[in-house]
């Protein structure tokens, strides 16, 4: 079992262009306030907007002296990250 540091934001259901907007401010607020762990294990479908959302939160966190980590990334989302060549840029929990 891994040790998770930071507040956990668990995302369930689809994380697509149609749903990403409902998550953006919640993640930004948490990334401004403290380290954030994004639990993606409940994501059932994802597109490139899911990756953009994670990078937005990473940027906000870094600007505020915090970090973002992700855990439970679904295979489809991982494949997108690899396809775009950004998989190495997404910090994951050990």
């Amino acid at each position: 079992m891994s040790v998770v540091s930071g507040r956990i934001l668990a995302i369930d259901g689809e994380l697509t262009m149609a749903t990403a907007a409902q998550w953006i401010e919640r993640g930004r607020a948490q990334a401004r306030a403290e380290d954030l762990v994004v639990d993606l294990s409940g994501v059932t479908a994802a597109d490139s907007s899911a990756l953009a959302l994670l990078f937005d939160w990473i940027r906000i966190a870094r600007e505020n002296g915090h970090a973002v980590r992700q855990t439970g990334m679904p295979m489809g989302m991982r494949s997108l990250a690899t396809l775009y060549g950004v998989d190495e840029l997404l910090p994951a929990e050990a």
Side-chain angles (χ1 to χ4, degrees), residues 9-94:
L9 176 60
I11 300 178
D12 294 319
E14 294 185 2
L15 189 54
T16 62
M17 191 174 293
T19 62
Q22 75 186 37
W23 293 100
I24 194 164
E25 286 306 321
R26 184 185 301 179
R28 282 179 174 178
Q30 289 183 13
R32 283 185 196 105
E34 61 190 325
D35 289 352
L36 173 62
V37 176
V38 183
D39 180 357
L40 299 165
S41 61
V43 173
T44 57
D47 62 17
S48 60
S49 62
L51 296 174
L53 192 63
L54 286 175
F55 285 116
D56 179 74
W57 293 341
I58 290 168
R59 178 185 55 81
I60 296 286
R62 285 183 181 159
E63 289 173 357
N64 290 277
H66 302 293
V68 172
R69 300 249 183 269
Q70 58 79 23
T71 186
M73 183 178 284
M75 187 54 72
M77 194 171 166
R78 187 180 320 267
S79 294
L80 273 178
T82 301
L83 177 68
Y84 294 143
V86 298
D87 52 328
E88 304 263 336
L89 303 175
L90 293 170
E93 285 296 305

